[in-house]
Amino acid sequence: MRKLSLLLLLILASAVGFAQQNFFATNKYTVSTLAGDTTGGTAGGYRNGTNDTAMFNAPAGVAVDSMGNVYVADALNNRVRKISGGMTGTLAGDTAGFRDGSGTMALFNQPLGVCTDRAGNIYVADTYNNAIRKISPAGAVTTISGKGQDSAGYKNGHADSALFNLPTGVAIDTSGNIYVADNGNNVIRVISSLGIVSTLAGNDTLGYRNGLNATAEFFGVGGIAVDNSGNVYVAEYGNNSVRKISKGYVTNIAGYDTVGMDTTILSNYPGYANNDTANRTRFNNPTGIVVDDSGSVFVSDEYNNVIREIRKDTVFTFAGTRKANPGYVNGNDTVAEFYAPIGIALDKKGNFYVGDNGNNLIREISPPAPLGIEPIAFKETKMLVYPNPCNDKTYIASAPSGIAELLDLTGRVIWINEHFKAPYTLSTDNISIGVYFLKVSNLSQSAVLKIVIAH
């Protein structure tokens, strides 16, 4: 199975937060496949189209905007992809290179990190171009800072002249400041909203040291996230640690901490350990990171093939099954399987999105319905669909307008159209034989109908 080199397997995705409530603790989250063709095994490729037929090649960072659109740093395809309304397309990028422009006229070189702002702009850690790029909602690409593939360096100052070295992750705060995991320099940089680049933490020395920002040391910074209070979190794959930068200090919040507050000895102790004080837990190549409104931190633990949660100094396995061999299984959070998950993002509804790098898929982790809260009572409406059973397609003659989903018997979403309106012809060519449920709903109506696909 194709795996990226160590450097390629780093990343973050920063996303808007969601306050995870305690009543979720006794219910199961559900893991499903949002996008990617699962019929050909784990092989990577490049194809746009419906989510279930789309192909990715080493998807790394993921991000989600306020409208629920998901963006993917599709590293080995040198593109930024967009998933929206049941379709996967290319927002920007083509072959490897360094060029600004619109859509496929722009060029990237193995981008690993993405994040979004409130205006719908997308920011990209264009890793092998040593640059930070911006994509407008319409797909126009500009370079914020960095000079291209042969310009690796370490220089602060105005964004036009600053230099980076293999940036892997980006995050943006509510004031428009952009935080960069500058992996090759082992530092965390910030590009202010005024276009000035400075070093937030680290001193261009490979190591492991907590304490004052200026004397702190990092090794292998991958994902980066920022919370609503301006605290910055770093998934540090080289030290197998999760670090926090707050009020001028760097601390370790999870992962083996060799001495405690301050040390020059690397904290490179890979492993897998939960439910302990945070500085004695173990990670194995933590890469993506996101924080919710309650302060819980979620980490893509890449080589353990799971998603971890850090909640009040205790570490849990949030989703995935740690096994000797990685896999691909959808279902509830305790039985699901991932293969080298990297980027992770969180939307305002509490859904997580994961760049499942080894499987070349984008996975979704959906929250359960809150306990003790009555479901919204929808007005039931009938649908008219024929033929049913169907072969290559079925005609939806009558149904409410709204969000349409086709679900299998496990509840996995096979197809989705967020702007559905009847009449509509639904193609079932690429859907396996079986029994499914067509669900269409809006704020006041819902309808569900069993669909049999016979081919």
Side-chain angles (χ1 to χ4, degrees):
M1 166 59 195
R2 182 266 320 130
K3 289 284 295 173
L4 290 177
S5 64
L6 177 64
L7 181 58
L8 270 176
L9 297 179
L10 343 162
I11 185 50
L12 109 126
S14 176
V16 294
F18 173 79
Q20 180 178 324
Q21 303 296 327
N22 290 333
F23 49 64
F24 284 163
T26 57
N27 268 3
K28 299 292 186 184
Y29 278 67
T30 301
V31 178
S32 59
T33 299
L34 175 68
D37 187 348
T38 62
T39 62
T42 59
Y46 173 68
R47 183 192 298 143
N48 290 320
T50 59
N51 284 352
D52 58 343
T53 62
M55 296 184 72
F56 301 86
N57 199 355
V62 290
V64 58
D65 66 18
S66 60
M67 301 298 292
N69 302 306
V70 176
Y71 302 90
V72 181
D74 194 3
L76 292 187
N77 280 323
N78 302 295
R79 293 169 168 92
V80 176
R81 313 284 291 280
K82 180 178 180 179
I83 304 170
S84 179
M87 301 293 291
T88 297
T90 296
L91 180 65
D94 193 354
T95 58
F98 182 62
R99 185 172 67 204
D100 288 343
S102 270
T104 57
M105 294 300 294
L107 299 179
F108 298 89
N109 195 352
Q110 297 181 24
L112 293 180
V114 286
C115 70
T116 62
D117 66 14
R118 293 182 175 180
N121 299 297
I122 300 93
Y123 300 85
V124 183
D126 192 2
T127 304
Y128 282 87
N129 276 325
N130 302 299
I132 307 303
R133 317 285 291 278
K134 177 181 177 180
I135 311 175
S136 75
V141 177
T142 54
T143 299
I144 295 176
S145 191
K147 299 293 186 179
Q149 182 176 2
D150 300 323
S151 65
Y154 179 53
K155 180 182 178 183
N156 287 321
H158 196 277
D160 288 344
S161 59
L163 298 177
F164 295 85
N165 190 354
L166 299 171
T168 54
V170 283
I172 189 166
D173 67 17
T174 55
S175 299
N177 302 302
I178 303 168
Y179 300 86
V180 181
D182 192 1
N183 179 71
N185 288 318
N186 293 295
V187 295
I188 306 303
R189 314 279 290 280
V190 59
I191 307 172
S192 76
S193 57
L194 298 176
I196 304 300
V197 178
S198 59
T199 299
L200 176 67
N203 59 21
D204 195 22
T205 301
L206 183 152
Y208 176 82
R209 183 191 290 270
N210 292 311
L212 289 170
N213 283 1
T215 59
E217 295 175 2
F218 297 88
F219 169 39
V221 291
I224 188 168
V226 58
D227 67 19
N228 292 332
S229 299
N231 302 304
V232 177
Y233 302 82
V234 181
E236 190 182 12
Y237 74 93
N239 279 320
N240 290 298
S241 297
V242 179
R243 314 281 286 278
K244 181 180 179 179
I245 306 169
S246 179
K247 299 179 180 179
Y249 283 85
V250 176
T251 56
N252 177 80
I253 65 169
Y256 190 80
D257 193 355
T258 52
V259 174
M261 184 61 189
D262 186 11
T263 177
T264 57
I265 303 171
L266 294 182
S267 179
N268 192 6
Y269 288 81
Y272 180 74
N274 280 323
N275 301 320
D276 197 353
T277 55
N279 67 347
R280 288 296 181 267
T281 54
R282 299 287 188 276
F283 294 85
N284 195 349
N285 224 64
T287 49
I289 190 166
V290 69
V291 59
D292 72 10
D293 285 346
S294 73
S296 286
V297 179
F298 300 84
V299 180
S300 297
D301 192 1
E302 183 189 352
Y303 291 164
N304 280 323
N305 301 296
V306 295
I307 308 300
R308 312 284 286 279
E309 178 185 356
I310 307 166
R311 188 195 316 165
K312 296 181 179 178
D313 295 327
T314 303
V315 177
F316 306 88
T317 295
F318 177 67
T321 306
R322 183 178 183 264
K323 300 173 69 175
N325 297 310
Y328 168 64
V329 174
N330 286 322
N332 73 51
D333 50 44
T334 59
V335 302
E337 295 181 10
F338 297 88
Y339 185 179
I342 297 186
I344 184 169
L346 174 61
D347 72 14
K348 60 186 178 182
K349 296 180 180 179
N351 302 295
F352 293 81
Y353 303 92
V354 177
D356 194 1
N357 181 271
N359 282 317
N360 287 300
L361 302 172
I362 308 304
R363 311 285 289 280
E364 181 175 357
I365 309 173
S366 303
L371 300 177
I373 297 178
E374 292 296 325
I376 298 173
F378 287 106
K379 176 184 177 182
E380 292 294 334
T381 304
K382 292 187 179 297
M383 286 191 286
L384 176 61
V385 176
Y386 62 88
N388 186 16
C390 65
N391 292 315
D392 59 335
K393 59 187 176 181
T394 189
Y395 185 68
I396 306 171
S398 176
S401 297
I403 299 175
E405 299 172 292
L406 189 68
L407 302 95
D408 66 15
L409 292 177
T410 70
R412 182 169 67 105
V413 177
I414 305 298
W415 167 85
I416 186 171
N417 184 332
E418 297 179 345
H419 306 285
F420 175 82
K421 184 177 181 181
Y424 186 92
T425 300
L426 174 63
S427 173
T428 62
D429 279 344
N430 297 307
I431 301 176
S432 301
I433 293 172
V435 177
Y436 299 84
F437 292 94
L438 177 64
K439 176 185 175 183
V440 184
S441 59
N442 54 42
L443 291 177
S444 61
Q445 296 176 297
S446 72
V448 178
L449 182 69
K450 182 171 73 174
I451 300 288
V452 178
I453 298 177
H455 287 325

